[in-house]
Amino acid sequence: MNVFAKIDRASVWHVLILLTFCAFPWHQRTSTWGIVLLLIHFVSDKDLLEKLKRIRITPLGWTSIAFFLYHLVGMLWTDYTSDGWKSIETKLCFLLLPFLFAGENHITHRSFRAIMPYFLISGVLAFVYSFFFSLHKYGAQGMKEVLNRVNVSEGIMHPGYWSNYYAFALVYMCYALWIYPVRQKLFYYIMLPLHFAIFIELCSKTTYIFFAFFGIYLAWRAMSFIRNVWLRLASFMGACLISFFILSFLPPVKIRIDEIRNESKPPPANPAFAHSTESRLAAWGLEKKLIGINPIIGYGTGSANPLVLNEMKKKHYDDLVKYNMHTHNQVFHTWIDLGIPGLLLLLGFWIYALQDFARKQNGLGFWSALMCFLYLFTDDALEIQAVGVFFVFLVFLFQKLPGKLKT
């Protein structure tokens, strides 16, 4: 008897989705491995032609494909061909994932619930590995240097990118603790403080902003048992203020708040790259200038970073030039590259995703899309595989999950 006879395509597909999830926290380029495996699985179907005939791309999928294809069109007028092809490479997920998930998407609430514990464990193990990497390299300088957010993440990837996986994990666990049976909650009670500690250690300003929104939602939902509207509102406001007060004393949070307070002013003559808010404000000012000169069609795919860097050289922002400062704003980045049509496709994709998930009452999909939407305004998220591939993957995976998570 052939032991593989009982292994159907859906089972293999679920294993590949599991491996893709587990690979995300380990390196910013491992995200592409899962996509490649899903593509191989897709085309190795003996009924491929029939499957292709059955594919029905959703409006969100067509917006995604159009966003990718317009980057190819933008190559016609770019002066930065090499940068353009790199930008296109990072956005292949916008072309492939709509087809892959329209052709095969076997995800169910039950199978997703079975996959997520492996993702949570993988995230913890990845941080443990990176911690020992930092301990080996910086241990002689003391634990303060070992636990510096940049040093402790050096073995894996940039802490801001990495923190998104732990933010998503926290959102998922909050839903799990609301709706899953008591017998299944012990695992999440163990994982929640571990992921929260890692999240606080790595977190970027953007994910703090995101969790401010999510925290407000949590507080309001937690007080649904209070029938009196005014009492509920007063309790809600009090809980938000107390939570903010307590969190603001955590060293990683306090450092980020102080950075924003000290750096949120007109940039100095030579902004420091290490000051993330200061360097972003300097870059955004130059980006607005470039957009004002050519707002309609843009400068062509891949133009944004070279043009901004050239403007920095003119302004003698020597420290930013030294570290090859990039746009740190996907909205401005796309507008510089592709003009208003590209900007409308970018915003249209994420706004449509948010609206669609809200309509379906798909909380995980909505909060995942919102996290990336916020990221568009503080970093060039879709130029980074660790961010762009992850969130586009989640959007198309969750398209199949109907409404609320179920037990």
Side-chain angles (χ1 to χ4, degrees):
M1 179 179 177
N2 186 354
V3 294
F4 297 103
K6 295 182 179 180
I7 300 178
D8 58 7
R9 289 189 59 81
S11 299
V12 176
W13 185 90
H14 278 109
V15 170
L16 296 180
I17 294 294
L18 184 152
L19 292 175
T20 303
F21 264 111
C22 291
F24 276 121
W26 285 90
H27 192 274
Q28 60 183 4
R29 293 198 175 274
T30 55
S31 58
T32 59
W33 298 356
I35 309 303
V36 171
L37 290 173
L38 286 170
L39 179 60
I40 293 171
H41 177 260
F42 184 92
V43 300
S44 61
D45 190 348
K46 62 183 178 61
D47 299 319
L48 178 60
L49 291 179
E50 287 300 315
K51 181 168 65 178
L52 292 174
K53 291 177 184 178
R54 293 194 304 268
I55 285 179
R56 297 293 181 269
I57 304 295
T58 63
L60 182 67
W62 284 121
T63 307
S64 177
I65 293 166
F67 179 65
F68 175 83
L69 293 179
Y70 198 66
H71 279 80
L72 292 177
V73 174
M75 292 296 290
L76 296 175
W77 62 87
T78 186
D79 292 327
Y80 302 94
T81 305
S82 177
D83 292 274
W85 287 119
K86 289 178 183 177
S87 180
I88 287 170
E89 180 187 352
T90 64
K91 297 180 184 65
L92 271 170
C93 57
F94 282 93
L95 176 67
L96 294 176
L97 290 178
F99 286 105
L100 292 180
F101 283 119
E104 279 189 81
N105 190 342
H106 305 287
I107 200 70
T108 64
H109 291 289
R110 182 178 180 181
S111 63
F112 182 70
R113 190 176 71 221
I115 286 170
M116 284 305 294
Y118 296 96
F119 172 69
L120 300 178
I121 293 170
S122 179
V124 172
L125 292 177
F127 184 80
V128 170
Y129 163 80
S130 195
F131 169 78
F132 281 105
F133 180 93
S134 180
L135 184 65
H136 173 73
K137 187 170 182 179
Y138 300 103
Q141 301 175 39
M143 287 303 296
K144 184 177 180 180
E145 285 301 309
V146 171
L147 292 174
N148 176 284
R149 67 187 290 267
V150 175
N151 296 342
V152 80
S153 64
E154 187 178 331
I156 301 285
M157 67 180 81
H158 186 283
Y161 311 157
W162 203 15
S163 66
N164 290 295
Y165 307 134
Y166 299 97
F168 169 72
L170 289 173
V171 171
Y172 168 76
M173 283 187 280
C174 288
Y175 274 95
L177 290 171
W178 279 331
I179 64 176
Y180 291 166
V182 174
R183 67 182 181 276
Q184 297 178 4
K185 291 183 178 181
L186 178 59
F187 173 77
Y188 297 109
Y189 281 125
I190 295 171
M191 283 288 148
L192 186 65
L194 293 175
H195 280 262
F196 181 74
I198 296 170
F199 170 78
I200 291 294
E201 174 65 17
L202 301 175
C203 195
S204 67
K205 297 184 183 78
T206 305
T207 36
Y208 279 137
I209 294 170
F210 165 77
F211 256 90
F213 285 106
F214 188 63
I216 290 169
Y217 166 73
L218 288 181
W220 184 254
R221 176 163 177 165
M223 294 175 183
S224 60
F225 67 93
I226 302 176
R227 300 300 180 185
N228 185 288
V229 175
W230 293 108
L231 180 59
R232 184 182 181 187
L233 185 61
S235 302
F236 166 74
M237 294 297 295
C240 289
L241 290 172
I242 291 170
S243 298
F244 177 78
F245 180 77
I246 293 172
L247 288 172
S248 66
F249 281 95
L250 292 176
V253 180
K254 188 176 186 302
I255 289 171
R256 308 303 278 173
I257 293 173
D258 289 342
E259 283 179 2
I260 295 173
R261 184 185 295 119
N262 295 332
E263 299 172 22
S264 297
K265 52 190 176 184
N270 186 18
F273 180 80
H275 298 164
S276 58
T277 302
E278 179 179 288
S279 59
R280 276 173 167 79
L281 291 175
W284 294 347
L286 300 178
E287 289 155 33
K288 291 176 185 177
K289 174 186 173 183
L290 289 168
I291 290 168
I293 296 171
N294 188 7
I296 306 301
I297 66 167
Y299 299 84
T301 306
S303 299
N305 283 334
L307 288 174
V308 170
L309 196 62
N310 189 50
E311 291 297 316
M312 290 176 183
K313 291 176 182 176
K314 292 179 183 178
K315 293 280 288 186
H316 298 288
Y317 290 170
D318 298 329
D319 198 53
L320 301 189
V321 172
K322 175 184 175 182
Y323 290 100
N324 201 30
M325 175 76 175
H326 46 97
T327 53
H328 281 92
N329 187 308
Q330 188 65 51
V331 172
F332 288 163
H333 188 110
T334 300
W335 200 343
I336 293 170
D337 273 5
L338 301 175
I340 291 177
L343 178 66
L344 292 176
L345 288 170
L346 169 71
L347 295 178
F349 174 82
W350 292 103
I351 292 172
Y352 187 96
L354 286 166
Q355 178 271 329
D356 191 47
F357 286 131
R359 179 178 58 82
K360 295 176 180 176
Q361 293 186 306
N362 188 324
L364 271 181
F366 176 84
W367 289 109
S368 301
L370 181 63
M371 200 186 312
C372 192
F373 185 73
L374 293 174
Y375 227 111
L376 301 180
F377 297 89
T378 60
D379 219 325
D380 31 12
L382 304 181
E383 311 303 315
I384 305 160
Q385 285 184 338
V387 179
V389 175
F390 179 64
F391 285 112
V392 177
F393 173 82
L394 291 180
V395 164
F396 285 108
L397 179 70
F398 290 152
Q399 281 280 290
K400 179 73 179 295
L401 284 177
K404 301 176 183 178
L405 283 178
K406 300 176 183 176
T407 57

